[in-house]
Amino acid sequence: QAQLVESGGGLVQAGGSLRLSCAASGSIFSINDMGWYRQAPGKQRELVAHITSDGNTNYADSVKGRFTISRDNAKNTVYLQMNSLKPEDTAVYYCNAGVIIRGTLRYLEAWGQGTLVTVSS
């Protein structure tokens, strides 16, 4: 199987920056798309940013120009650089990846446990 472990969340003042990381481990043959989602209190989980295996990206309108998603395929890791943070960015951020399992070549959609980002005004 595969596991995703996020890190880098925390408390930051409005206008500040944070960098989230998500490392995949386990019986991984390859990883297709990767992405970051977030869920604020009382709201549905929403897509923040998405990156394909060859580096094509797309972003939610609310974070365009402020957030940057990237990945290191050699390390099976995806990053989210968040700049000019706003209080409305406060949420639990989840990593997501489409993993091909080594041996069986079965597709698995994996999720991380979430990391809390709190932006104070």
Side-chain angles (χ1 to χ4, degrees):
Q1 297 300 313
Q3 300 80 37
L4 302 182
V5 177
E6 300 118 334
S7 60
L11 173 64
V12 65
Q13 288 188 332
S17 297
L18 282 175
R19 188 192 194 210
L20 305 183
S21 300
C22 171
S25 62
S27 300
I28 297 171
F29 177 76
S30 65
I31 300 177
N32 294 344
D33 296 358
M34 304 184 82
W36 288 95
Y37 290 72
R38 68 186 181 188
Q39 186 166 19
K43 295 188 177 181
Q44 289 189 330
R45 189 174 297 190
E46 63 174 358
L47 176 67
V48 175
H50 171 267
I51 185 166
T52 64
S53 57
D54 55 359
N56 292 314
T57 60
N58 67 279
Y59 298 90
D61 288 343
S62 59
V63 307
K64 281 180 181 176
R66 300 188 298 121
F67 291 11
T68 302
I69 188 171
S70 61
R71 63 189 286 173
D72 183 334
N73 291 330
K75 296 182 179 179
N76 289 335
T77 299
V78 63
Y79 306 96
L80 185 69
Q81 178 66 44
M82 305 185 293
N83 298 329
S84 302
L85 282 160
K86 305 176 181 179
E88 51 262 45
D89 294 317
T90 295
V92 177
Y93 284 71
Y94 297 91
C95 173
N96 171 268
V99 179
I100 305 298
I101 301 298
R102 187 188 318 130
T104 64
L105 299 185
R106 182 172 63 92
Y107 176 85
L108 172 68
E109 184 175 21
W111 288 90
Q113 80 287 355
T115 185
L116 178 62
V117 172
T118 303
V119 184
S120 64
S121 57

